[in-house]
């Protein structure tokens, strides 16, 4: 019995240090072997240097500082495939797959897939996919896909897709898609799409689409579309569209801009320019260029295009109005309000 206890104790110590057949660096390994090539089984990887081949683990260490080195090849987690700083190849985890730094290749986690640094390749998480830095490739999260920096590629999530910086590629979020910086590509948000800076490409938001700076391309917002600086391209919304500058074609019940160089179709109301309380006739209060079709074309600045509507109003006129009633504020008295059409008429100069 004494010798049996000594044998079992020695075996446990050996397994704790790791056993490899035929050697500790290659073949079939059991335990925490730091450098190994072949098929390796371990409870939780700690202080790994480099593993090549098939690596099967059960859990991960509590301290992330213990998760070092790299695993290359096929990593299988029963249920977690964690334990190294970097992973490349195929990562499969019943619950989760990931690394404290970077992952590359095909990564699938029953609940989640994530990297503390960047993730590249095919990343699938039953609930979500995330990266502390960049996420690129094909990213599918049951609920969400997110990254602290940039996301690029094909991104699909039932709830949302979000990037701390730039988002590029094809992105579909059941509720929404957003970025802290630019969005470029084909973007669909069940409720909305928003960019902290610029938005370019083909964009659809079930309720709305917006960007803090510029929106360019084909943009469709169920209720509204807006830009903090400029809206350029083909824009469509059921209720409203607004931006300081609108270029291209804008279609919505109501459209508003300070300046416009566009074809605007707004069945209810179109406003160009801003409210001006000054009497300075030379003040720049916005310019409308192009064509505006609306029940009420309300041009508070200068009209240099064509306005077609039931009632057309222009503070200053260098274009043409067509409608039931047409008003040009800077025309001579008696010629300001005319039926059917109106245009700029010079005032008589004082010859005295």
């Amino acid at each position: 019995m004494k010798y049996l206890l000594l044998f079992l104790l020695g075996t446990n110590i050996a397994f704790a240090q790791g056993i490899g057949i035929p050697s500790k660096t290659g073949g079939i390994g059991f335990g925490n072997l730091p450098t190994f090539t072949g098929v390796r089984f371990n409870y939780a990887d700690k202080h790994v240097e480099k593993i090549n081949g098939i690596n099967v683990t059960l859990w991960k260490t509590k301290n992330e500082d213990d998760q070092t080195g790299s695993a290359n090849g096929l990593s299988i987690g029963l249920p977690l495939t964690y334990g190294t700083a970097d992973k490349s190849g195929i990562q499969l985890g019943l619950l989760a797959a990931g690394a404290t730094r970077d992952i590359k290749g095909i990564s699938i986690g029953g609940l989640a897939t994530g990297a503390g640094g960047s993730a590249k390749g095919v990343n699938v998480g039953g609930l979500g996919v995330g990266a502390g830095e960049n996420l690129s490739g094909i990213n599918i999260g049951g609920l969400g896909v997110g990254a602290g920096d940039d996301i690029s590629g094909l991104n699909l999530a039932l709830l949302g897709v979000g990037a701390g910086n730039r988002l590029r590629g094809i992105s579909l979020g059941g509720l929404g898609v957003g970025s802290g910086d630019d969005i470029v590509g084909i973007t669909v948000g069940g409720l909305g799409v928003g960019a902290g800076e610029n938005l370019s490409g083909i964009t659809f938001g079930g309720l709305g689409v917006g960007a803090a700076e510029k929106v360019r391309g084909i943009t469709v917002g169920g209720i509204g579309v807006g830009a903090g600086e400029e809206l350029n391209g083909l824009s469509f919304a059921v209720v409203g569209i607004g931006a300081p500058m609108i270029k291209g074609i804008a279609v919505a019940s109501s459209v508003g801009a300070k300046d416009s160089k566009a074809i605007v179709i707004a069945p209810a109301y179109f406003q160009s320019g801003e409210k001006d309380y000054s009497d300075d006739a030379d003040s720049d209060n916005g310019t409308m260029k192009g064509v505006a079709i609306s029940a009420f074309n309300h041009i508070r600045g200068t009209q240099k295009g064509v306005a077609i509507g039931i009632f057309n109003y222009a503070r200053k006129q260098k274009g043409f109005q067509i409608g039931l009633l047409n008003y040009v504020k800077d025309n001579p008295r008696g010629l300001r309000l005319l039926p059917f059409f109106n245009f700029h008429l010079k005032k008589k100069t004082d010859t005295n």
Side-chain angles (χ1 to χ4, degrees), residues 53-95:
I54 299 174
N55 187 46
V56 182
T57 57
L58 298 178
W59 212 246
K60 67 174 183 176
T61 61
K62 294 181 179 179
N63 190 349
E64 288 192 358
D65 292 338
D66 294 335
Q67 299 178 37
T68 61
S70 64
N72 310 297
L74 174 61
S75 298
I76 300 174
L78 303 171
L80 300 178
T81 174
Y82 276 85
T84 59
D86 301 305
K87 277 186 169 60
S88 63
I90 300 174
Q91 292 71 237
L92 305 175
L94 288 180
L95 292 182

Side-chain angles (χ1 to χ4, degrees), residues 166-183:
R166 295 181 179 179
L167 176 61
R168 296 182 178 181
I170 300 173
S171 303
L172 289 82
L175 292 182
V177 177
S179 76
D181 200 328
D182 297 340
I183 296 178

Side-chain angles (χ1 to χ4, degrees), residues 195-215:
E197 294 189 4
N198 302 306
L199 177 59
S200 304
I202 299 173
T203 309
F204 173 84
L207 294 181
V209 176
E213 295 182 7
K214 298 178 180 180
V215 175

Side-chain angles (χ1 to χ4, degrees), residues 199 201-203 209 215-221 225 231 234-237:
L199 177 59
I202 299 173
T203 309
V209 176
V215 175
R216 298 170 179 168
I218 299 174
T219 310
V220 180
V225 174
L231 183 61
L234 173 60
S235 305
F236 175 85

Side-chain angles (χ1 to χ4, degrees), residues 94-148:
L94 288 180
L95 292 182
T100 57
R101 196 161 55 200
D102 299 335
I103 55 175
K104 299 177 182 178
I106 299 173
S107 304
I108 301 174
L111 295 180
T113 295
S118 298
K120 298 179 180 180
V122 178
N123 305 294
V124 180
L127 294 181
V129 174
E133 295 178 3
N134 301 315
L135 187 60
S136 60
I138 299 174
N139 308 299
I140 302 173
L143 295 181
V145 172

Side-chain angles (χ1 to χ4, degrees), residues 224-273:
V225 174
E229 293 181 0
E230 179 180 297
L231 183 61
N232 194 335
L234 173 60
S235 305
F236 175 85
V238 175
V239 177
I241 293 175
M245 168 62 83
I246 294 179
K247 297 179 179 179
I249 300 174
V251 181
S253 297
S254 299
V255 177
K258 179 181 179 181
D259 299 290
S260 62
K261 298 178 181 178
I263 296 173
V264 175
I265 301 174
Y269 180 68
F270 169 61
Q271 176 184 307
S272 176

